[in-house]
């Protein structure tokens, strides 16, 4: 048994972060890594928008354009949006349910390092013959060995490793939410963000599994000359599309449901009202999660699966508008008559509503099978999914970032810089993507690296690129804000700087590693707000103050991830001209991975306890 003081004194800062299993630190790791990938993918978008700023530009080649577009989409969906959502989930979910950590802290750490090692493996493709170039969907035969470059191998192995991390993290959140809720936190008292993460985690389990299977088949095709997707050898290219979109459509909701949850936390907090129609919101989330698996075929209307299948999936797709509409009206009714404070977080949350509605309306248009034949390969589709991904998910993430930042880092971001950043981003977003609806209706095809003069497309493409510059400027302002606020903002010493409603605001700022010295008793849907009105403003404990059990940190998740990275590179190097045999990489990676797994299995790790006197001392210091 090791005391808390002894446990922390032995670690350097670097070692502490490399071995941490604390959900709050892992949240920050996800936040930093996801933000770096977000900036990287954004810069790629700026580069190919410069290529499209005028007709017949020669800023980049067609091959580079294909690689940039592929990497932009892949990174944004798998390595930016997903980890940023996990950042907020890791931070907020255990706190909102009154837990001390997630159910499996070791697995939580493993999930992060797997995601990062997979992302790095994908990113180094630029240095080994070129990045993936078959689009983020990697349709076969474009992604086959015959037509696709070596970058596709990095895509397959990188996403496979990263996907394992996402999968185990999803399982971890399900177990955490089901089993670790504080007394009184019934399922119908869960904050909406926790509900959305529960459904999201279930979607991850059921959606990432077919993706893993599909990537494994594609890997067998490319590396071991199998024939699953090779028509000339008896394979079927449409099989890949089915597998991909059975994952791909729920993936949209894996990303957007947590954004719904964030908006459902921010709007009540800054409207000073309870979330309108909580029960209907919960059932809307459940229905959306279920229907998300019933509509994958609408991505394949132009493949030619027949009128009956097209009709069934068109109706199922349009049905999703019903529960989504319920959520939209409930957010509006929450704001209606409220004492709204237009903080930066509220700006992003409020702007999310009309922007997402527009993305939803164009989604209904695309759900009509005959009409999709007109829109499918045009910029109209590009505009639609960016109104969902950026206008929905990214705006929601920014709202959550400004909302939870004081709790995560102990000081607020500057509001003036925040508002400037919001308007730059919001105007830039609409300049970039609204106009792409019109470009699509005019017939401008997507996935082309240039266009000709005299087609009436020049001005709108120019405006679209200027919008991308404005969005980039907004990100620069955000970075300035983070640095400026870290140097100049006063430290937040109160538990609840926003006068919010949910349980994460009942803990100290900064949050001690054990979250709650005593497990709180939950007596209402909005427990913190309830105690302000009906209690003394403090959560009532359900246990006496005593020593607290905590998990030990471990370097093994990092070693397992490094091992899989090396082994994955080994499989790719079968088609690289290296002086080291692929079998050496595979052997070294396998030894590291299975050695670390064996060490973990044989390790007798019972964690440690923070003694009662230390807890009392820390509570007194933070009060």
């Amino acid at each position: 048994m090791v005391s808390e003081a002894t446990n922390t004194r032995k670690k350097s800062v670097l070692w502490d972060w490399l071995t941490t299993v604390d959900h709050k630190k892992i949240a920050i790791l996800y936040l930093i890594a996801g933000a770096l990938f977000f900036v990287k993918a954004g810069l790629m978008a700026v580069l190919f928008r410069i290529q499209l700023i005028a007709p017949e530009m020669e800023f980049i080649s067609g091959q580079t354009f294909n690689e940039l577009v592929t990497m932009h989409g892949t990174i944004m969906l798998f390595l930016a949006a997903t980890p940023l959502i996990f950042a907020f989930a890791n931070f907020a979910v255990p706190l909102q349910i009154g837990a001390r950590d997630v159910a499996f802290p070791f697995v939580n750490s493993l999930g992060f390092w797997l995601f990062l090692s997979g992302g790095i493996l994908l990113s180094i493709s630029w240095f080994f013959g070129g990045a993936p170039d078959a689009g983020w969907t990697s349709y076969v035969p474009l992604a086959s060995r015959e037509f696709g470059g070596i970058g596709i191998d990095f895509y397959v192995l990188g996403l496979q490793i990263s996907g394992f991390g996402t999968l185990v993290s999803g399982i971890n959140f399900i177990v955490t939410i089901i089993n670790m809720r504080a007394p009184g936190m019934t399922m119908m008292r869960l904050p909406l963000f926790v509900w959305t993460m529960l459904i999201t985690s279930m979607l991850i389990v059921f959606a990432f599994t077919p993706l893993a299977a599909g990537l494994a088949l594609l890997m067998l095709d490319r590396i071991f000359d199998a024939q699953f997707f090779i028509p000339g050898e008896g394979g079927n290219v449409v099989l890949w599309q089915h597998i991909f979109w059975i994952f791909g459509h729920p993936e949209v909701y894996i990303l957007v449901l947590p954004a719904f949850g964030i908006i459902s936390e921010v709007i009540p907090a800054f409207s000073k009202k309870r979330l309108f129609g909580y029960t209907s919101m919960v059932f809307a989330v459940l229905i959306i999660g279920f229907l998300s698996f019933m509509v994958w075929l609408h991505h394949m209307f132009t493949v030619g699966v027949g009128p009956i299948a097209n009709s069934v999936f068109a109706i199922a797709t349009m049905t999703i508008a019903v529960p989504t509409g319920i959520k939209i009206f409930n957010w509006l009714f929450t704001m209606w008559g409220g004492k709204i404070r237009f903080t930066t977080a509220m700006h992003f949350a409020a702007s999310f509503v009309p922007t997402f509605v527009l993305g939803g309306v164009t989604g209904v248009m695309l759900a009509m099978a005959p009409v999709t034949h007109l829109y499918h390969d045009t910029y109209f589709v590009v505009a639609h999914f960016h109104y969902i991904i950026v206008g929905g998910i990214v705006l929601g993430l920014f709202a959550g970032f400004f909302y939870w930042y004081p709790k995560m880092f102990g000081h607020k971001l500057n509001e003036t810089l925040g508002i400037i950043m919001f308007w730059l981003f919001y105007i830039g977003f609409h300049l970039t993507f609204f106009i792409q609806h019109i470009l699509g209706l005019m017939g401008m095809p997507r996935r082309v690296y240039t266009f000709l003069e005299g087609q009436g497309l020049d001005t709108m493409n120019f405006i679209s690129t200027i919008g991308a510059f404005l969005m980039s400027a907004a990100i620069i302002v955000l970075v300035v804000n983070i640095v400026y606020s870290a140097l100049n903002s006063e430290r937040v010493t109160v538990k609840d700087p926003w006068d919010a409603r949910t349980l994460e605001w009942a803990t100290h700022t900064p949050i001690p590693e054990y979250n709650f010295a005593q497990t709180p008793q939950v007596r209402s849907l909005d427990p913190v707000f309830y105690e302000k009105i009906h209690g003394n403003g403090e959560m009532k404990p359900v246990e006496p103050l005593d020593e607290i059990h905590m998990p030990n940190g471990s370097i093994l998740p990092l070693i397992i991830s490094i091992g899989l990275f090396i082994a994955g590179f080994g499989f790719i190097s079968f088609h690289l001209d290296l002086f080291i045999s692929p079998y050496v990489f595979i052997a070294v990676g396998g030894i590291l991975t299975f050695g670390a797994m064996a060490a973990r299995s044989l390790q007798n790790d019972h964690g440690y306890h923070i003694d009662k006197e230390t807890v009392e001392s820390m509570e007194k210091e933070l009060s």
Side-chain angles (χ1 to χ4, degrees), residues 55-303:
E56 300 183 64
M57 281 282 286
E58 296 294 339
F59 179 66
I60 54 177
S61 67
Q63 175 62 26
T64 304
F65 182 90
N66 288 342
E67 292 174 353
L68 288 174
V69 170
T70 300
M71 288 292 279
H72 167 76
T74 306
I75 292 174
M76 275 297 186
L77 287 168
F78 292 100
L79 306 178
T82 303
L84 288 173
I85 285 165
F86 274 3
F88 296 128
N90 259 288
F91 179 77
V93 166
L95 294 170
Q96 288 192 328
I97 63 173
R100 291 215 164 87
D101 208 320
V102 294
F104 307 115
F106 180 93
V107 173
N108 199 24
S109 173
L110 178 63
F112 168 75
W113 291 114
L114 285 174
F115 138 71
L116 187 61
S117 60
I120 293 172
L121 183 61
L122 176 64
S123 299
I124 64 172
S125 57
W126 292 101
F127 306 106
F128 293 93
D133 56 359
W136 80 278
T137 55
S138 270
Y139 280 166
V140 187
L142 279 178
S144 66
R145 175 63 61 195
E146 183 179 3
F147 299 107
I150 187 70
I152 307 294
D153 293 336
F154 286 92
Y155 172 96
V156 171
L157 270 301
L159 291 191
Q160 191 73 284
I161 295 171
S162 182
F164 284 147
T166 305
L167 190 58
V168 297
S169 297
I171 295 169
N172 205 356
F173 280 120
I174 293 172
V175 179
T176 301
I177 295 167
I178 297 295
N179 288 328
M180 299 183 68
R181 289 168 285 130
M185 179 68 79
T186 62
M187 293 302 287
M188 293 311 290
R189 285 180 180 171
L190 284 178
L192 242 296
F193 180 65
V194 179
W195 257 116
T196 56
M197 277 311 303
L198 177 62
I199 303 304
T200 295
S201 300
M202 292 178 176
L203 295 184
I204 285 172
V205 171
F206 290 109
F208 271 74
T209 308
L211 175 67
L215 289 172
L217 297 180
L218 188 56
M219 181 185 75
L220 292 172
D221 268 16
R222 289 189 54 88
I223 297 176
F224 300 108
D225 297 322
Q227 302 158 5
F228 293 102
F229 306 119
I230 310 298
E233 305 293 337
N236 190 333
V237 294
V238 179
L239 174 63
W240 168 258
Q241 293 195 36
H242 279 290
I243 293 173
F244 186 87
W245 287 116
I246 284 173
F247 147 80
H249 194 79
E251 168 69 4
V252 175
Y253 293 92
I254 287 169
L255 299 177
V256 82
L257 283 179
F260 286 171
I262 292 171
I263 300 303
S264 300
E265 300 296 326
V266 173
I267 286 180
F270 294 112
S271 300
K272 282 193 168 297
K273 283 180 67 182
R274 170 175 282 196
L275 181 66
F276 185 89
Y278 170 83
T279 304
S280 63
M281 292 287 264
V282 170
F283 282 98
V285 171
L286 289 167
I287 294 168
I288 290 172
F290 174 76
L291 288 176
S292 70
F293 276 99
M294 302 293 120
V295 299
W296 84 89
L297 202 85
H298 74 220
H299 294 275
M300 301 166 61
F301 281 157
T302 55
V303 170

Side-chain angles (χ1 to χ4, degrees), residues 496-512:
D496 181 10
W498 299 125
D499 191 20
R501 312 173 74 87
T502 43
L503 208 49
E504 73 269 32
W505 305 103
T507 59
H508 294 290
T509 307
I511 306 170

Side-chain angles (χ1 to χ4, degrees), residues 339-613:
K339 295 178 181 178
I340 298 176
R341 288 174 289 160
F342 277 106
T343 60
T344 306
M346 188 62 179
H347 271 76
F348 279 109
S351 64
F352 167 96
V353 178
T355 310
F356 191 79
V357 167
L358 185 52
V361 168
T362 54
V364 173
M365 294 169 69
L366 289 166
M368 293 182 278
V371 180
T372 294
H373 282 73
L374 298 175
Y375 300 142
H376 186 74
D377 275 327
T378 72
Y379 262 79
F380 190 87
V381 175
V382 178
H384 159 69
F385 67 69
H386 278 90
Y387 263 75
I388 298 296
I389 302 295
V390 183
I393 297 159
V394 175
L395 292 182
L397 289 172
F398 280 137
F401 183 71
F402 278 86
Y403 180 57
W404 280 311
Y405 194 90
K407 206 66 179 174
M408 295 179 83
F409 297 100
H411 62 270
K412 288 184 180 180
L413 290 169
N414 182 277
E415 281 292 312
T416 303
L417 289 172
I419 300 295
I420 293 172
M421 179 253 175
F422 164 77
W423 283 112
L424 281 173
F425 191 87
Y426 199 61
I427 293 171
F429 162 74
H430 285 292
L431 282 180
T432 305
F433 296 112
F434 183 81
I435 211 151
Q436 290 182 4
H437 290 102
I438 304 170
L439 283 170
L441 293 174
M442 291 176 67
M444 179 169 173
R446 54 177 172 153
R447 305 187 184 110
V448 294
Y449 89 108
T450 190
F451 56 94
L452 300 175
E453 282 187 290
Q455 296 178 310
L457 306 174
D458 306 18
T459 304
M460 283 183 278
N461 269 298
F462 177 80
I463 293 172
S464 185
T465 301
I466 296 301
F469 288 152
L470 286 180
M471 293 169 74
S472 304
I475 301 303
I476 294 172
V477 173
L478 177 60
V479 174
V480 171
N481 194 351
I482 292 169
V483 175
Y484 176 84
S485 301
L487 297 176
N488 296 286
S489 293
E490 291 184 7
R491 308 305 299 178
V492 173
T493 55
V494 297
K495 295 178 179 177
D496 181 10
W498 299 125
D499 191 20
R501 312 173 74 87
T502 43
L503 208 49
E504 73 269 32
W505 305 103
T507 59
H508 294 290
T509 307
I511 306 170
E513 64 175 300
Y514 46 78
N515 291 351
F516 300 92
Q518 296 164 280
T519 303
Q521 172 70 54
V522 176
R523 301 198 292 169
S524 172
L525 173 61
D526 293 326
V528 171
F529 182 77
Y530 181 88
E531 298 301 336
K532 289 175 188 172
I533 302 300
H534 301 284
N536 61 0
E538 298 288 334
M539 296 302 299
K540 297 183 183 302
V542 295
E543 60 185 359
L545 188 65
D546 204 346
E547 65 178 15
I548 297 174
H549 177 257
M550 299 297 295
N552 280 321
S554 175
I555 194 66
L556 294 178
L558 177 58
I559 294 175
I560 292 172
S561 304
I562 291 174
L564 286 174
F565 174 91
I566 295 172
F569 183 78
F571 283 108
I572 295 168
S573 66
F574 278 112
H575 296 283
L576 292 173
D577 187 18
L578 300 177
F579 62 90
I580 300 176
S581 166
Y583 295 104
V584 174
F585 288 110
I586 294 171
V588 172
I591 290 170
L592 282 175
T593 301
F594 290 107
M597 292 169 69
R600 177 64 182 175
S601 301
L602 299 172
Q603 194 176 33
N604 190 21
D605 182 2
H606 296 293
Y608 67 99
H609 287 77
I610 306 175
D611 59 54
K612 181 180 176 182
E613 290 72 23

